[in-house]
């Protein structure tokens, strides 16, 4: 989660909403990491998790990413959670809950929905205060 927080801080420095994500393999080696980049790239899909999934799929030459764990500073939205289902991510670890659009535990339960063709393990609240504070500080500075 420390690396994901570093990615979030990097995103904040360039004016992006500070969310960071890191994907590791079964041996805990980093496969890909990124921060949000929606604003600069004018891309509504430019979330950290999407960047990470795309980079990992290219690196591993496989659109399926089984046996991987995604660490992300904010509970993923529906788009990102669905992408992780499609990628067959094994586990998602997130920091702060997103009460407005969180799709793992707050508003939806996409990672554990038995109606979907894949489910993944979810661990929430890891370094949640740090993950929450980086977002609060960013938005406080923008007001």
């Amino acid at each position: 989660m420390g690396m994901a927080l570093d990615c979030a801080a990097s995103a904040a420095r360039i004016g992006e909403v500070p969310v960071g994500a890191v994907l590791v393999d079964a041996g805990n080696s980093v496969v890909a990491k990124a921060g949000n980049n929606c604003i600069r790239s004018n891309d509504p899909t430019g979330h950290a998790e999407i960047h990470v999934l795309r980079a990992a799929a290219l690196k591993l030459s496989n659109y399926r990413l089984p046996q991987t764990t995604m660490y992300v500073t904010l509970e993923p939205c529906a788009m990102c959670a669905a992408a992780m289902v499609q990628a067959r991510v094994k586990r998602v670890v997130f920091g702060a809950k997103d009460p407005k659009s969180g799709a793992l535990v707050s508003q939806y339960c996409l990672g554990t929905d038995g109606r979907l063709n894949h489910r993944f393990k979810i661990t929430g609240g890891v370094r949640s205060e740090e993950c929450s504070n980086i977002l609060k500080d960013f938005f406080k500075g923008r007001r």
Side-chain angles (χ1 to χ4, degrees), residues 7-115:
C7 291
S10 293
R13 283 192 292 277
I14 62 169
E16 296 284 345
V17 175
V19 176
V22 177
L23 189 76
V24 300
D25 63 18
N28 225 23
S29 295
V30 174
V31 179
K33 61 183 179 173
N36 271 3
N37 190 12
C38 298
I39 299 165
R40 287 186 118 183
S41 63
N42 293 310
D43 180 1
T45 68
H47 293 195
E49 302 95 307
I50 299 298
H51 285 296
V52 165
L53 291 172
R54 287 177 177 160
L58 284 173
K59 182 176 182 178
L60 300 175
S61 299
N62 192 346
Y63 72 109
R64 301 287 194 218
L65 303 168
Q67 305 307 313
T68 59
T69 298
M70 175 77 75
Y71 291 88
V72 60
T73 57
L74 180 65
E75 179 183 358
C77 69
M79 173 184 69
C80 294
M84 288 183 259
V85 167
Q86 293 302 315
R88 307 300 194 263
V89 169
K90 183 177 183 178
R91 180 177 177 222
V92 177
V93 178
F94 70 88
K97 284 185 178 179
D98 185 347
K100 288 185 179 180
S101 60
L104 299 187
V105 298
S106 295
Q107 289 295 325
Y108 309 100
C109 298
L110 293 181
T112 55
D113 190 325
R115 294 170 294 181

